[in-house]
Amino acid sequence: MSHTVLRIVLLAAVLSTLSSASIAGPSCSIWNWQSDGVYWQTCVNDDGSQQCYQATDDAGSNAREVSC
């Protein structure tokens, strides 16, 4: 393999790795039990926005998005 082709392949691999790393999903807390018997989870997106969810158990069953 010539050095030029090797450099192009290496550059493509690095760019592919960087682009997939920048498309990460939101960072979410564990499901926390609330006093009213439901579970609550908060997620923070890469842009700093938040999403909150309610569920019926700590596995996230019947989860639905609610206002934070």
Side-chain angles (χ1 to χ4, degrees):
M1 226 181 210
S2 74
H3 290 289
T4 304
V5 172
L6 185 58
R7 286 181 186 166
I8 291 171
V9 169
L10 183 59
L11 179 62
V14 168
L15 290 176
S16 174
T17 302
L18 291 176
S19 66
S20 65
S22 66
I23 306 175
S27 175
C28 298
S29 67
I30 61 169
W31 287 100
N32 296 295
W33 183 78
Q34 300 295 302
S35 61
D36 56 358
V38 297
Y39 288 78
W40 180 270
Q41 181 182 55
T42 302
C43 299
V44 178
N45 298 311
D46 287 341
D47 64 0
S49 63
Q50 288 186 327
Q51 293 174 293
C52 297
Y53 299 92
Q54 251 183 359
T56 55
D57 63 21
D58 64 348
S61 298
N62 303 312
R64 64 182 179 97
E65 188 170 358
V66 294
S67 62
C68 292

